[in-house]
Amino acid sequence: MTTDLDVSAVAKEARAALDAFLDGLNSHDLAQWTGTLNFPQIRVHEGAVTVWDTPEEHVRTSQAELEALLASGWHRSAWDEVAFPQVSADQVHAAVRFSRLDADGKRLAVFDSVYVVTRQDGKWGVLARIGYEVS
């Protein structure tokens, strides 16, 4: 067990990775968004588990989902709450609440999720997302 862990510094790095993730998603550019992820990428949603083994697979198979999201009126997402209940040197669990917003900033939906943020080869990125819609 490491006693020299600077929890605040690690949480700051994890938060930067989460913010980059959201910026990438909000760019509507799959390659940019995928660059914020670590692999294999895991998503648990709507009773299903999706695993992408490589960045190329994520870009190739996520286009339809992005198009459907845009067609729903979604323009961007924003963090409502972010907490880090579990922090280790190379893995952080983030309890988040985020909103999907339209172009005018009107809230379309709210989600509660746990994001697993990991450091792989020195790069912090989102490894897993587990969540559900709350409204």
Side-chain angles (χ1 to χ4, degrees), residues 2-133:
T2 304
T3 58
D4 296 335
L5 180 65
D6 185 342
V7 172
S8 177
V10 172
K12 185 176 179 181
E13 291 181 63
R15 177 60 191 249
L18 284 174
D19 290 344
F21 168 90
L22 208 58
D23 289 345
L25 176 62
N26 289 340
S27 75
H28 305 178
D29 179 326
L30 282 173
Q32 180 180 336
W33 182 43
T34 299
T36 70
L37 305 175
N38 282 338
F39 290 86
Q41 175 63 207
I42 303 158
R43 183 171 175 219
V44 179
H45 59 104
E46 301 166 359
V49 177
T50 305
V51 178
W52 296 272
D53 290 318
T54 66
E56 296 77 18
E57 180 183 14
H58 184 265
V59 169
R60 185 179 67 252
T61 62
S62 297
Q63 186 64 45
E65 185 175 0
L66 177 61
E67 289 172 6
L69 195 54
L70 289 165
S72 76
W74 171 83
H75 179 70
R76 67 182 184 86
S77 294
W79 300 125
D80 299 324
E81 300 172 21
V82 177
F84 300 106
Q86 298 168 322
V87 176
S88 73
D90 294 313
Q91 181 170 310
V92 173
H93 298 166
V96 305
R97 175 169 278 194
F98 69 91
S99 293
R100 287 184 180 162
L101 308 168
D102 69 11
D104 295 324
K106 179 184 171 210
R107 182 175 282 127
L108 302 173
V110 177
F111 295 82
D112 282 343
S113 299
V114 173
Y115 281 44
V116 178
V117 184
T118 60
R119 179 174 18 210
Q120 294 180 2
D121 299 323
K123 174 200 166 237
W124 282 97
V126 173
L127 178 69
R129 300 168 280 153
I130 306 162
Y132 58 90
E133 185 174 355

